[in-house]
Amino acid sequence: MSIRFLGTGCYLPPKVVTNDDLAKLVDTSDEWITQRVGVKERRVSVNETTADMATKAALAALEKSGLEACDIDLIIVGTITSDTLCPSVAATVQRNIGSQGIAFDISSACSGFMFSLETAVAYIERGVAKNALVIGAERLSKILDYTDRSTCVIFGDGAGAAVVTKGENYLSSTMYTSGNDEVLYIPDNVGLSPFYEGEEQKRCVHMDGQETFKFAVNRITQDIKTAAEKANIALGDIDHVVLHQANIRILEFASKRLKIPFDRFFINIDKCANTSAASVPIALAGLDASGKLKRGDIVALSAFGGGLSSAACIIKW
Ligand code: COA
């Protein structure tokens, strides 16, 4: 027993920020960002919280699933940009949609949706939950330093969601963590304690781009191979690859290393940029809505990010 997907959905805030807009804030250009990253524009929230976006993606996925909010008994949100440390984004979504399911967040940066999906599978297999809403939602714009050109051009805001239930379509998965707070990290406030002597650091994304790039290419290749082997699927039989949309060059490297034609890779980085935990579910919802995804197709999902962490799974749609 595993799970099957009943519906997907996503939400992007309406404000579009182009590369030219960012070139007014930092020393960059549309040409550099397009060539080195593959992003042309990103969406940025002006007044919506992470939970607002997560709720809209959840409602879109619910509508496609044919289920009602009262049928959902588990809500998991992958996020690193919760609006409040407590309650969780998932608890706020639960209230907003009118569900009574158990709800909690998972913090695993850009792998957050994949880790959440795997957790939902475990809950459903144990019989703790029947129907789950799995969401990735981020308002990364609140943790970006818009004076740092090496990070602010890469990321965007948004949310993606999937409704899953008992089924046989999640063929295999793999997860990876390698504790590291140097390559990619986001410090939190040190707090108001009069006793604590730690130093306050800027509360924004700190990233060694080249190390992250190498980690990404190695993990995607390894994780998709591992998941495919576990599922007894040849790499050539994968119909669609839905990768974390971090850098178009990372996707191209992955295609070459895995020898899977690039036209099987879903791409929306040009419009959405890197939305961290929301990236894979937004891309999956985009592929689902495109009409290219047919029942029985083999789909590989794969993400990587802070932690350092990564994950992949193979789904028979
Ligand atoms: N505009 C113009 N120039 C920029 C720039 C920008 N937005 N950002 C960096 N540069 C400059 C650098 O300052 C450097 O200049 P220098 O040679 O004068 O020192 C030059 O471009 C090359 O920098 P480098 O860091 O080597 O570029 P890169 O080709 O590695 O691209 C990243 C940088 C961040 C785009 C790339 O490393 C990357 O995408 N890494 C992975 C990041 C990722 O996936 N993060 C998400 C993880 S979930």
Side-chain angles (χ1 to χ4, degrees):
M1 201 245 292
S2 78
I3 57 157
R4 71 192 162 91
F5 286 71
L6 294 179
T8 60
C10 69
Y11 176 76
L12 297 171
K15 180 161 180 68
V16 175
V17 174
T18 64
N19 292 343
D20 287 336
D21 293 331
L22 289 181
K24 291 176 194 146
L25 300 178
V26 286
D27 182 13
T28 190
S29 65
D30 176 48
E31 191 190 1
W32 193 95
I33 302 169
T34 304
Q35 281 178 5
R36 306 303 296 167
V37 191
V39 176
K40 295 296 286 181
E41 59 186 43
R42 71 285 294 143
R43 300 299 183 92
V44 175
S45 165
V46 290
N47 57 9
E48 289 173 295
T49 63
T50 301
D52 290 336
M53 294 187 280
T55 300
K56 286 176 179 160
L59 289 172
L62 258 184
E63 194 180 334
K64 284 200 85 183
S65 74
L67 298 187
E68 305 283 338
C70 60
D71 300 318
I72 298 295
D73 44 20
L74 174 65
I75 302 172
I76 310 178
V77 179
T79 188
I80 49 167
T81 49
S82 181
D83 312 297
T84 44
L85 294 179
C86 155
S88 63
V89 175
T92 306
V93 170
Q94 187 243 38
R95 182 204 54 197
N96 289 352
I97 66 171
S99 152
Q100 296 198 327
I102 45 171
F104 55 88
D105 292 354
I106 285 187
S107 167
S108 191
C110 304
S111 312
F113 175 80
M114 304 289 300
F115 277 48
S116 301
L117 189 59
E118 182 72 14
T119 307
V121 172
Y123 274 61
I124 289 172
E125 285 187 343
R126 271 194 68 204
V128 177
K130 197 165 164 236
N131 304 310
L133 241 176
V134 186
I135 303 168
E138 304 282 13
R139 186 161 77 85
L140 292 167
S141 53
K142 76 170 177 172
I143 50 162
L144 290 178
D145 175 358
Y146 284 93
T147 64
D148 175 11
R149 68 178 180 174
S150 67
T151 52
C152 75
V153 303
I154 293 176
F155 298 97
D157 297 340
V163 176
V164 298
T165 191
K166 256 193 274 183
E168 303 295 333
N169 302 134
Y170 192 76
L171 302 185
S172 67
S173 62
T174 181
M175 294 162 83
Y176 174 86
T177 304
S178 169
N180 179 308
D181 61 1
E182 286 167 13
V183 172
L184 183 51
Y185 67 100
I186 304 157
D188 203 348
N189 300 327
V190 296
L192 301 174
S193 164
F195 308 107
Y196 187 68
E197 293 176 358
E199 272 178 41
E200 185 95 43
Q201 279 182 289
K202 227 177 181 182
R203 195 173 175 278
C204 60
V205 175
H206 298 253
M207 181 181 75
D208 178 334
Q210 289 184 4
E211 284 305 313
T212 308
F213 198 105
K214 280 187 240 160
F215 172 76
V217 174
N218 289 334
R219 283 320 310 173
I220 292 166
T221 315
Q222 183 61 51
D223 290 346
I224 292 184
K225 277 186 181 164
T226 302
E229 264 170 37
K230 281 191 189 175
N232 214 5
I233 296 279
L235 291 175
D237 291 338
I238 296 175
D239 299 297
H240 307 279
V241 185
V242 178
L243 278 194
H244 174 39
Q245 307 283 306
N247 186 315
I248 193 76
R249 291 182 293 133
I250 292 177
L251 277 79
E252 286 164 356
F253 264 106
S255 163
K256 278 197 195 108
R257 286 222 188 152
L258 290 164
K259 299 192 175 63
I260 300 176
F262 196 57
D263 61 9
R264 295 189 199 170
F265 283 63
F266 183 83
I267 308 290
N268 66 8
I269 186 172
D270 51 333
K271 297 262 181 246
C272 300
N274 177 345
T275 53
S276 187
S279 177
V280 166
I282 291 174
L284 184 62
L287 177 63
D288 195 10
S290 73
K292 289 185 189 151
L293 193 50
K294 304 277 181 275
R295 194 138 298 284
D297 277 0
I298 300 294
V299 186
L301 308 185
S302 168
F304 59 88
L308 298 168
S309 65
S310 70
C313 67
I314 302 288
I315 298 161
K316 187 169 187 183
W317 199 253

